[in-house]
Amino acid sequence: LYKPLMWKLWEEAGQINISVFNYLSKNDPARAFELTKSYLEDMNPIYGVSIDLDAPFVFPAENLTEVMIDLALQQDRDYALLGIADQLQNSYNELFPVFADIAIRLKDPALIEPLFDRLENPIFIYSYLKTAEALIAYGNPAINQRLREAQKQYKHLRQGEEGKALNQLLEAHDLK
């Protein structure tokens, strides 16, 4: 009875939450994926519904962004990876950790360059540590060497409290 209304609210008004998404995607994953595609280009509109308003700084164990990405990976991995790569390069600092955690989980080679692009961009000062953590998670000596070289090359990775914290992270992983 309510399923057509749920689809209509999502399709026409962009109204979706994790419970409705889980229900609809189980019933028609292909249709849910088609609607999810627009969010892969810009996840910021759903960021607000991914948090608990009673505890806005605590993410639930399962959030809408991650669930949408998982569906996209199941339906069309290459398309999903392009969306994840774009979000790694361009998402707001508040949303970036979600995508960094996805990169850590997937360890897909297609996500390495977008992570380095973000690391090397001085406007993303508050995401350096999470970006470095994601790159270190690959456990690849060539990536680790490039991370060390990036810190030497880019002044913004050495300065201030963020630079000190990055040094500590690299030292903790024997990468200094």
Side-chain angles (χ1 to χ4, degrees), residues 3 5-26 31-33 35-36 38-39 42-51 63-65 67-68 71:
K3 191 169 22 171
L5 179 60
M6 290 179 197
W7 281 113
K8 186 173 182 165
L9 284 169
W10 187 13
E11 290 171 328
E12 295 178 14
Q15 298 297 309
I16 189 71
N17 65 33
I18 193 164
S19 300
V20 173
F21 180 83
N22 283 334
Y23 175 75
L24 294 176
S25 65
K26 283 184 177 99
R31 185 175 179 187
F33 173 61
L35 290 169
T36 298
S38 66
Y39 293 102
D42 184 9
M43 283 285 184
N44 292 308
I46 65 162
Y47 173 70
V49 297
S50 294
I51 59 175
N63 78 43
L64 184 57
T65 303
V67 174
M68 285 182 156
L71 175 69

Side-chain angles (χ1 to χ4, degrees), residues 103-137:
I104 289 168
R105 180 170 45 104
L106 297 177
K107 293 181 184 69
D108 193 286
L111 304 177
I112 295 168
E113 286 308 313
L115 286 165
F116 272 109
D117 288 347
R118 187 172 188 107
L119 184 75
E120 294 166 358
N121 188 333
I123 68 167
F124 293 116
I125 191 167
Y126 298 109
S127 60
Y128 296 159
L129 290 178
K130 191 66 176 180
T131 307
E133 179 184 323
L135 289 164
I136 291 167

Side-chain angles (χ1 to χ4, degrees), residues 146-163:
R146 186 170 167 197
L147 181 58
R148 286 191 301 269
E149 290 171 6
Q151 189 189 30
K152 291 175 188 171
Q153 181 178 0
Y154 297 99
K155 184 168 66 169
H156 65 273
L157 297 176
R158 297 187 309 271
Q159 293 181 327
E161 292 302 314
E162 293 80 13

